[in-house]
Amino acid sequence: VLLSYGTYTNLELLEYYGFLLEDNPNEKVFIPLDLDMHSLSCWPKESLYIHQNGRPSFALMCALRLWATPPQQRKSIGHLAYSGCPISKGNEIYVMKWIGKKCDALLKEMPTSVEEDKSLVHLIDKMVEYENLGEWVKEASAVFGGEFGNNNILKAAYGVEGDNELTSLVRTKMLIDRWKLAVQWRLMYKTVVARCISYCTDIINSLSTQ
């Protein structure tokens, strides 16, 4: 039996079906682009993204190569950009540096790092080992104070007054599962961004030695 969910990103899978794929070939990460970058390109916005493996999409590279070209030269060499060909070594290095800086800025804007999110997922998995949720929160707060201090999910997980034990347990599991999925999604997002930084750095180093 073959079951296909279509070419959904992890965010779409999470929104529509409630699960994620660790190695989703359809995963996409979009980075902020200036308006003039969009106006220079005929590519639709949804095609300007970073692949799951960290590589910029064909359309994104075409658009940025053209944008990084001096205005007076764009008409004469635009065909190279739209065909996917590098315009020059200097142009390629400039584009890779620009993408790398954008990705680095994205990671720095986030309240947690990749390693912290990995630890958080591990801590959430350990929750089942605790009979008392409060004890788990105490241990977790010692590591991730900001993540747990005002966490509405954890507050709700303690249950609502009047709930019986079964209802409280069901609510707790549901909320914790949702929380874990949210952390996993942001971890996967950051991982793709980090891969892109590594990819850009490798390309820059390779071109610089030529």
Side-chain angles (χ1 to χ4, degrees), residues 38-44 82:
H38 289 294
S39 63
L40 283 173
S41 170
C42 64
W43 301 100
Y82 282 110

Side-chain angles (χ1 to χ4, degrees), residues 20 121 124-125 175-185:
L20 302 167
V121 170
I124 294 173
D125 287 335
L175 292 172
I176 296 303
D177 286 346
R178 288 180 179 178
W179 181 30
K180 180 180 176 180
L181 283 171
V183 176
Q184 286 177 320
W185 177 82

Side-chain angles (χ1 to χ4, degrees), residues 92-102 200 204 208:
E92 200 75 356
I93 290 175
Y94 184 87
V95 167
M96 289 298 170
K97 285 183 176 180
W98 186 91
I99 296 174
K101 287 180 180 178
K102 277 288 182 180
C200 291
I204 292 169
S208 298

Side-chain angles (χ1 to χ4, degrees), residues 136-202:
W136 178 86
V137 173
K138 187 182 298 183
E139 178 183 333
S141 297
V143 183
F144 297 99
E147 183 78 29
F148 297 91
N150 297 307
N151 196 305
N152 291 325
I153 294 177
L154 287 178
K155 290 177 181 178
Y158 280 110
V160 177
E161 186 176 353
D163 276 354
N164 59 42
E165 185 176 355
L166 178 59
T167 301
S168 180
L169 286 173
V170 170
R171 176 183 287 107
T172 298
K173 185 179 186 311
M174 180 183 68
L175 292 172
I176 296 303
D177 286 346
R178 288 180 179 178
W179 181 30
K180 180 180 176 180
L181 283 171
V183 176
Q184 286 177 320
W185 177 82
R186 79 184 189 198
L187 173 58
M188 293 175 186
Y189 177 93
K190 293 174 188 176
T191 300
V192 173
V193 175
R195 286 173 183 165
C196 186
I197 294 174
S198 296
Y199 173 78
C200 291
T201 301
D202 289 343

Side-chain angles (χ1 to χ4, degrees), residues 117-136:
D117 281 346
K118 287 180 180 178
S119 297
L120 181 52
V121 170
H122 177 68
L123 277 172
I124 294 173
D125 287 335
K126 282 183 62 179
M127 189 180 294
V128 296
E129 301 174 9
Y130 289 77
E131 294 183 5
N132 187 322
L133 184 60
E135 290 299 317
W136 178 86

Side-chain angles (χ1 to χ4, degrees), residues 17-53:
Y17 301 107
F19 71 91
L20 302 167
L21 294 176
E22 187 170 348
D23 292 309
N24 185 353
N26 301 309
E27 180 68 333
K28 300 174 183 177
V29 167
F30 295 89
I31 58 176
L33 299 176
D34 298 336
L35 289 177
D36 59 333
M37 296 177 182
H38 289 294
S39 63
L40 283 173
S41 170
C42 64
W43 301 100
K45 291 182 179 180
E46 58 269 20
S47 67
L48 308 174
Y49 61 88
I50 297 169
H51 287 285
Q52 185 260 355
N53 61 7

